[in-house]
């Protein structure tokens, strides 16, 4: 999320509300512009330009996905369903609170959730459904280094 957030530079909702200047609004699809540099030079904190996407909501979506871990064991379906529902409620509460506080727009929290779910889906597909990729990564990670080979002999 921070890889996207820092260069994007979208102004937070609270900056628009505090100044009352609607011209500071920047659509989510536009990357940072000259407004950020101008306002930082005028004394606005750089943290006010880290709205898109929401890091807190992305982390809450990760917590939601942790609720799916019990599915790896058979017979834990009820517990998994409950954990997943609690995780969804937590992610929704975090997203709503970030909007309520003026730190993010609805598009910021929606994009963070979508990015988190997309990365999770990609990771599951690469490591679980694509055995060739997983064997390649596992072979690279578990391969002893040349120094370790020499020290073993």
């Amino acid at each position: 999320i921070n890889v996207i957030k820092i260069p994007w530079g979208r102004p937070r909702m609270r900056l628009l509300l505090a100044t009352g200047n609607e011209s500071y609004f920047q659509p989510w699809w536009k990357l940072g512009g000259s407004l950020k540099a101008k306002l930082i030079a005028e004394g606005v904190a750089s943290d006010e330009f880290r709205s898109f996407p929401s890091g807190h909501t992305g982390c809450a979506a990760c917590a939601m996905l942790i609720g799916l871990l019990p599915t790896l064991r058979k017979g834990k379906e009820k517990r998994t369903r409950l954990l997943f529902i609690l995780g969804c409620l937590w992610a929704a509460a975090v997203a709503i609170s970030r909007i309520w506080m003026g730190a993010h727009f609805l598009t910021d929290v929606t994009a963070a959730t979508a990015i988190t779910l997309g990365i999770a889906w990609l990771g599951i597909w690469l490591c679980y459904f694509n055995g060739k990729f997983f064997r390649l990564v596992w072979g690279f990670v578990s391969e002893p280094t040349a120094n370790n080979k020499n020290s073993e002999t």
Side-chain angles (χ1 to χ4, degrees):
I1 299 285
N2 279 330
V3 169
I4 299 168
K5 177 185 287 243
I6 293 169
W8 212 273
R10 183 180 190 191
R12 293 188 185 272
M13 183 190 312
R14 65 181 172 223
L15 177 66
L16 278 69
L17 295 173
T19 60
N21 191 341
E22 293 179 8
S23 68
Y24 291 170
F25 177 77
Q26 177 181 328
W28 69 268
W29 61 84
K30 288 188 178 181
L31 276 85
S34 59
L35 175 66
K36 178 180 176 180
K38 176 187 166 212
L39 290 177
I40 288 175
E42 292 176 7
V44 175
S46 64
D47 185 54
E48 293 301 315
F49 296 93
R50 301 179 107 202
S51 182
F52 183 85
S54 170
H56 287 86
T57 306
C59 289
C62 285
M64 175 184 69
L65 293 172
I66 289 172
L68 296 176
L69 286 178
T71 60
L72 299 175
R73 297 186 67 200
K74 298 223 186 263
K76 302 290 184 187
E77 288 79 19
K78 276 190 173 179
R79 184 177 294 172
T80 301
R81 194 173 303 125
L82 176 63
L83 286 173
F84 185 69
I85 290 169
L86 288 173
C88 288
L89 291 173
W90 175 252
V94 169
I96 291 167
S97 71
R98 298 304 291 168
I99 294 170
W100 192 287
M101 292 171 46
H104 295 287
F105 296 94
L106 178 62
T107 52
D108 302 338
V109 296
T110 304
T113 303
I115 290 167
T116 302
L117 295 178
I119 289 172
W121 176 84
L122 180 65
I124 291 167
W125 182 80
L126 287 173
C127 294
Y128 187 73
F129 294 111
N130 189 346
K132 184 178 179 181
F133 176 81
F134 180 75
R135 285 189 299 278
L136 176 71
V137 170
W138 185 255
F140 177 77
V141 170
S142 64
E143 182 76 23
T145 61
N147 294 336
N148 289 341
K149 286 181 182 178
N150 292 337
S151 63
E152 291 175 4
T153 56

